[in-house]
Amino acid sequence: PVAGDAFVVVLPGAGAAECHTVAERLLQVVRTPFAIDDLTLALQASAGIAWRSPVDPVADLYESAFLAC
């Protein structure tokens, strides 16, 4: 299960460079300050990138990504 403050992006067939580009873009968007009424909010985030072989359990992939943060 994914924690309430986490999400997963799956990029089948993507290489390291593409994964890095997507992660950087997601972080840029999440970290962009936004306003609600008179309040400006800024979020913080981190990204973990992980690969798995087809024989590895999916749970291991999630754990690897979590540890990579």
Side-chain angles (χ1 to χ4, degrees), residues 2-3 6-8 11-12 27 32 36 39 46-47 49 51 54 61 67 69:
V2 178
F7 63 92
V8 175
L11 302 171
L27 290 173
T32 301
I36 298 178
L39 211 58
S46 61
I49 298 174
W51 278 265
L61 179 63
L67 292 173
C69 288

Side-chain angles (χ1 to χ4, degrees), residues 6-48:
F7 63 92
V8 175
V9 176
V10 179
L11 302 171
E18 186 177 2
C19 290
H20 181 18
T21 299
V22 170
E24 286 295 322
R25 180 67 182 125
L26 286 170
L27 290 173
Q28 181 183 29
V29 170
V30 168
R31 292 175 177 164
T32 301
F34 59 96
I36 298 178
D37 296 328
D38 293 332
L39 211 58
T40 299
L41 303 171
L43 303 178
Q44 293 185 3
S46 61

